[in-house]
Amino acid sequence: MNLLRLKPLTLAIASLLSSGTLLAADATDDNAKELAEMTVRHSRPATVVQNPSPQAEVSGEQARNMNVVNTEDIVKYLPSLQIRKRYIGDRNAIIAARTTGTVQSARSLVYADGLLLSNLLGNSYAYPARWNLVGSEEIDTVNVLYGPFSALLPGNSAGATILMTTRRPENVEAHARVQAFSQPYKLYGTDMTAYGHQEQASGGFRVGGLTVSLMANHLDSRAQPMSFATATRATSGAGSVPYSGYTVDKDPSGVQRVIVGATSIDHTVQDVGKIRLAYDFGPESRLAFTFGEWRNDSTTRAESYLKNAAGQTVTSATGTSAILVNGQRYTVAASTFAPGNSETVNRLYGLTFDSRLADDWRLESAFSLYETPTDIARAASSPTATGGSVAFSDGTGWNNADLRLIWKPSGGKAGHTVTAGLHHDAYNYDYEKYNSTSWVNESSKTALTNRNHGRTKTQALFIQDEWKLAPKWSLTAGVRHEQWEATQGLIYTTTLGNNSFSDREASGTSPKLSLAWQATADWNLRASLGKAYRFPTVTELYQTEKNETTGAFRISDPNLKPEKIFAKDLTAEGAVGGGVLRLSLFEEIVRDALYSFTDYSLVTRNQNIDKLRVRGAEVAYVAPEVMRGLDLTASLTYARSKVLENQLNPASVGKWVIRVPDWRASLLAVYRFNDQVSGSLGYKYSGKQYNNADNSDQWPDTYGGNSSFSTFDAKLSYRFAKGMTAAFGVDNLTNEKYYAFHPYPQRTFHGEIRVDY
């Protein structure tokens, strides 16, 4: 039936290597026959029906019915995914999937046109994918794989692998969009409006075998506060003055605190430019080069709520001017409300080459280099001080290289598709922090206060066979062997002095197995097993630092072990009610799980947890036209996580894994009223979760907590002329106040005009 022939396009995706290169849509005669009734554009990734992972997809056209500003917004309604995006322009938008939370950035992968965008230098909120190097207007499709079931992917795929494919122009085309957004925001003593605008243009042309694609983007965004300053309870001393403006409440563990102001109020200006050149030497040989540059200039400010008796704002409370609350003295350091700024330049160079060598053989390769020639962060020591600190991460970056060879006998008579390949990656982290006599000028640096340096490298060999056992049975079996090393580890702080570490090596072999059965004409069943290793990142090993301005302290561990993951999935998918329904049962057991989490004293620790388990079920439904004019996408996920063993923190045993919610749900309904007008309604739900390893944070619906939430979004679009569309939207319609430690946005209004040529 036609619906089942469309199913691979809707729910299946190509097996992706760690290179991210995908099989060309016309790679094999067999696929062309199997998908004969399916329209596949040349720019889309190939579909492989027997891919061993559960999958989901969203197209660029579908995304136009959502409130999309940043590229990561496109995946927000896909099953089990949660993007920790705290404001428009947030550089720390990391991915949580069905078995992972919003503190595990290294357990997901993001690729664009075969090039890795994931920042695997670390495993925390500070190491998100470089979404900015893809414009939302240039996206053709986004495909998602769940779990580490392919030998072609590293263990970082344990959560989710997101594959973005941009449009490849066949003729001259151009697209432009102008957006404005506004968020009235109230919390504690803050009453402000966060606002901004974005302009994006993309397009390209084709001349013979050469295609040229261009993208440029400018974003100017002001955010709500990311953090709130709390006064410190004094253990000695006497005296106080009658300050006003502070708020007394309780933190998520029920401990009284005194909120004295808002901090980390960011203003970001981001500019992106990208060019992609692709040349077809023949119908099945293509060379593509990509260059992208992303610049970010950011300033952060703070707002003190404290007022003295004369009604003047004050930014510190120490000694005899301490705050008195219920007979207890509280102090506020002068550094609490210090401003800061940063500037970064990020560059991506990428080269891919795919070619059919012979009737039965195909070669695919990808090479990429990501570098940060400029990465400077500056901070004042107080709101009025000229001195402060300056930090440099120039030279930090990574490179990846992948090569794979695919053998498939012509006509598929042997029933096998064998893929073998090699992978290499190398990560370099270099960080230095200095005192400065003039915090706005990095040339005024003085004494070195912090140095972190290290390198990691992984080399892998893999092979995978997709075997058609019988007309209704398919077996996918593979194995991946990885050799990892960490070298040149160095940590310096003024307290610890110089510390250098011996080089380390580790290896892991990861078998994979998946069996699929076409039970009926409409239903397919698949059972998948996969082992995987997730090796420590360079900053988990070698990043130890204290932020003298905020008091935040990060502690690394050069002896961390690699994660050992064993994942299972049982999936059924088929046609129901004009759409495609997928039902999945999953379990993941992780030994030596790598976690980085922050407690309420702002101490972040990297550690191994001996054994974790996550079990659950996922239901996903996609109906392109469930009724005339109405498209529906919906999902519901339940996950029961549990810490099984943890010698470092016995109090956590038997408790929920941090940041993994019990329930997740999403819904996107798009209705086309006529050829000119369409509207959408989106819904996201996330249930109970914890930030403390011992689950002591029983009051999560406050700053510092990880709250459940239920939010609605809406958008109305009107095409008022050929190729010209205006739209208005609202995110968080009910103005829900919710938190992922930091506050998420409140009700936000969007307006845009789009032109397509």
Side-chain angles (χ1 to χ4, degrees):
M1 58 184 294
N2 287 342
L3 178 59
L4 254 289
R5 295 186 184 274
L6 283 170
K7 183 175 67 173
L9 184 62
T10 307
L11 291 177
I13 182 176
S15 290
L16 176 75
L17 298 181
S18 32
S19 71
T21 49
L22 303 173
L23 293 173
D26 54 357
T28 66
D29 294 334
D30 268 7
N31 279 351
K33 293 177 181 177
E34 189 169 1
L35 306 178
E37 295 185 31
M38 185 171 65
T39 301
V40 180
R41 286 175 290 172
H42 192 60
S43 61
R44 294 178 57 84
T47 54
V48 179
V49 176
Q50 302 303 334
N51 186 278
S53 299
Q55 305 123 27
E57 179 185 278
V58 62
S59 70
E61 288 301 316
Q62 289 172 310
R64 291 191 170 196
N65 292 298
M66 310 174 194
N67 295 320
V68 172
V69 181
N70 303 125
T71 301
E72 59 268 28
D73 297 334
I74 289 178
V75 301
K76 61 184 175 180
Y77 300 117
L78 290 181
S80 302
L81 291 188
Q82 174 66 31
I83 305 298
R84 178 190 170 274
K85 178 186 170 185
R86 302 165 299 166
Y87 60 95
I88 293 173
D90 188 2
R91 278 91 63 204
N92 293 337
I94 69 171
I95 303 163
R98 60 190 191 181
T99 61
T100 61
T102 54
V103 288
Q104 294 176 283
S105 63
R107 295 192 82 206
S108 62
L109 293 168
V110 178
Y111 293 88
D113 295 321
L115 303 175
L116 181 69
L117 299 185
S118 293
N119 182 353
L120 300 180
L121 290 164
N123 181 45
S124 75
Y125 63 87
Y127 300 97
R130 299 311 195 189
W131 303 96
N132 309 67
L133 288 166
V134 178
S136 57
E137 285 298 295
E138 63 174 344
I139 285 181
D140 183 38
T141 55
V142 179
N143 299 277
V144 180
L145 302 176
Y146 297 90
F149 300 112
S150 173
L152 314 180
L153 289 166
N156 308 89
S157 63
T161 300
I162 297 177
L163 314 174
M164 296 186 286
T165 304
T166 61
R167 286 192 304 273
R168 187 171 180 227
E170 295 298 329
N171 300 296
V172 176
E173 64 175 68
H175 312 273
R177 183 177 60 172
V178 177
Q179 296 172 290
F181 40 87
S182 178
Q183 178 204 171
Y185 184 85
K186 293 183 180 181
L187 190 63
Y188 295 115
T190 296
D191 187 350
M192 62 173 289
T193 298
Y195 62 92
H197 58 89
Q198 178 173 257
E199 297 79 40
Q200 184 176 137
S202 64
F205 58 90
R206 182 182 183 99
V207 179
L210 176 68
T211 57
V212 179
S213 302
L214 303 165
M215 187 275 290
N217 191 80
H218 175 75
L219 172 69
D220 188 325
S221 178
R222 300 171 190 266
Q224 79 276 11
M226 290 298 98
S227 300
F228 294 90
T230 57
T232 302
R233 187 169 180 171
T235 57
S236 62
S240 65
V241 296
Y243 286 136
S244 62
Y246 58 82
T247 298
V248 179
D249 74 347
K250 293 183 178 180
D251 71 18
S253 296
V255 178
Q256 178 178 286
R257 64 185 176 187
V258 180
I259 304 291
V260 295
T263 61
S264 300
I265 307 173
D266 187 44
H267 176 203
T268 178
V269 177
Q270 302 179 24
D271 291 288
V272 183
K274 188 174 72 172
I275 182 170
R276 178 173 169 82
L277 306 174
Y279 188 79
D280 291 331
F281 295 95
E284 298 190 54
S285 293
R286 178 187 302 170
L287 177 69
F289 171 75
T290 300
F291 172 74
E293 181 171 292
W294 165 45
R295 293 175 175 261
N296 176 72
D297 293 305
S298 170
T299 58
T300 56
R301 63 180 181 88
E303 174 190 12
S304 174
Y305 301 155
L306 295 176
K307 305 288 185 181
N308 61 21
Q312 299 170 318
T313 299
V314 294
T315 56
S316 66
T318 58
T320 58
S321 63
I323 304 166
L324 187 66
V325 178
N326 299 327
Q328 176 63 51
R329 297 175 66 250
Y330 288 83
T331 61
V332 179
S335 61
T336 301
F337 298 106
N341 64 46
S342 66
E343 59 180 278
T344 59
V345 177
N346 304 263
R347 290 176 183 153
L348 173 69
Y349 304 85
L351 187 69
T352 60
F353 177 67
D354 306 332
S355 180
R356 181 176 292 280
L357 304 177
D359 290 344
D360 300 345
W361 295 91
R362 184 171 184 83
L363 175 70
E364 300 188 356
S365 60
F367 310 89
S368 63
L369 170 66
Y370 191 96
E371 61 180 18
T372 52
T374 302
D375 192 341
I376 305 172
R378 311 174 188 88
S381 57
S382 76
T384 58
T386 57
S389 65
V390 57
F392 302 88
S393 296
D394 304 354
T396 295
W398 61 85
N399 62 77
N400 287 266
D402 290 89
L403 184 70
R404 69 178 179 180
L405 193 62
I406 303 165
W407 174 72
K408 184 170 185 178
S410 300
K413 295 177 182 179
H416 292 271
T417 301
V418 179
T419 303
L422 301 170
H423 166 78
H424 164 87
D425 65 57
Y427 291 83
N428 177 63
Y429 182 69
D430 198 354
Y431 174 85
E432 294 180 347
K433 186 177 181 180
Y434 297 84
N435 287 329
S436 176
T437 56
S438 175
W439 73 272
V440 296
N441 184 359
E442 60 271 15
S443 63
S444 64
K445 66 182 183 181
T446 56
L448 177 70
T449 60
N450 211 131
R451 172 90 196 277
N452 302 126
H453 177 74
R455 295 175 181 269
T456 59
K457 181 173 70 175
T458 306
Q459 294 179 317
L461 172 68
F462 55 85
I463 186 168
Q464 182 165 286
D465 182 17
E466 299 170 34
W467 180 19
K468 192 77 170 176
L469 291 168
K472 293 187 177 182
W473 293 87
S474 297
L475 179 71
T476 301
V479 64
R480 183 182 185 92
H481 179 76
E482 294 164 300
Q483 187 73 33
W484 170 86
E485 64 180 48
T487 61
Q488 302 181 30
L490 172 67
I491 295 174
Y492 168 80
T493 71
T494 53
T495 303
L496 301 174
N498 276 310
N499 297 268
S500 57
F501 304 95
S502 301
D503 296 349
R504 291 182 55 196
E505 291 185 355
S507 62
T509 301
S510 307
K512 321 281 184 176
L513 189 66
S514 179
L515 181 65
W517 174 43
Q518 191 71 43
T520 70
D522 291 350
W523 281 89
N524 183 71
L525 304 179
R526 182 180 60 249
S528 300
L529 303 173
K531 287 191 173 183
Y533 285 78
R534 207 281 279 171
F535 294 95
T537 62
V538 64
T539 58
E540 288 175 304
L541 299 170
Y542 306 125
Q543 186 188 38
T544 293
E545 176 191 11
K546 183 175 182 180
N547 187 317
E548 300 297 339
T549 300
T550 65
F553 194 44
R554 179 180 297 277
I555 302 173
S556 60
D557 183 351
N559 298 309
L560 290 171
K561 304 173 185 177
E563 288 186 337
K564 304 167 189 68
I565 303 161
F566 182 34
K568 309 165 191 174
D569 182 89
L570 180 62
T571 289
E573 56 184 352
V576 173
V580 176
L581 178 69
R582 175 171 62 81
L583 309 171
S584 296
L585 301 176
F586 57 87
E587 180 185 78
E588 180 181 276
I589 296 175
V590 186
R591 295 184 181 273
D592 297 320
L594 287 161
Y595 263 81
S596 169
F597 61 93
T598 304
D599 62 24
Y600 302 124
S601 62
L602 297 180
V603 176
T604 300
R605 300 177 186 272
N606 295 287
Q607 67 177 60
N608 286 113
I609 299 175
D610 297 302
K611 188 176 181 181
L612 308 176
R613 184 184 66 208
V614 183
R615 289 174 173 166
E618 182 181 74
V619 181
Y621 183 65
V622 178
E625 193 155 354
V626 67
M627 58 178 288
R628 185 177 179 84
L630 178 64
D631 299 341
L632 186 66
T633 302
S635 71
L636 178 66
T637 304
Y638 174 76
R640 175 59 173 103
S641 63
K642 191 175 184 179
V643 178
L644 301 179
E645 300 173 18
N646 190 2
Q647 294 182 14
L648 292 175
N649 187 357
S652 68
V653 176
K655 301 299 194 297
W656 292 72
V657 177
I658 60 173
R659 301 279 188 107
V660 178
D662 54 355
W663 289 96
R664 287 188 178 110
S666 65
L667 171 71
L668 178 65
V670 178
Y671 186 71
R672 295 175 295 280
F673 296 93
N674 52 45
D675 291 341
Q676 285 75 43
V677 182
S678 64
S680 70
L681 180 67
Y683 174 71
K684 288 286 290 185
Y685 174 79
S686 181
K688 179 179 65 177
Q689 58 181 304
Y690 298 95
N691 190 66
N692 290 358
D694 62 359
N695 296 177
S696 60
D697 45 332
Q698 296 293 323
W699 295 270
D701 297 322
T702 187
Y703 165 65
N706 283 272
S707 53
S708 60
F709 61 84
S710 182
T711 61
F712 293 88
D713 310 322
K715 184 175 183 179
L716 185 67
S717 300
Y718 173 60
R719 185 167 60 86
F720 58 91
K722 183 179 180 180
M724 302 184 72
T725 304
F728 175 78
V730 182
D731 279 340
N732 194 0
L733 272 167
T734 59
N735 204 28
E736 177 108 347
K737 291 182 174 64
Y738 61 112
Y739 307 85
F741 192 95
H742 307 280
Y744 275 118
Q746 296 177 12
R747 184 185 294 118
T748 305
F749 301 93
H750 299 263
E752 68 178 50
I753 294 178
R754 176 187 287 112
V755 178
D756 297 292
Y757 170 77

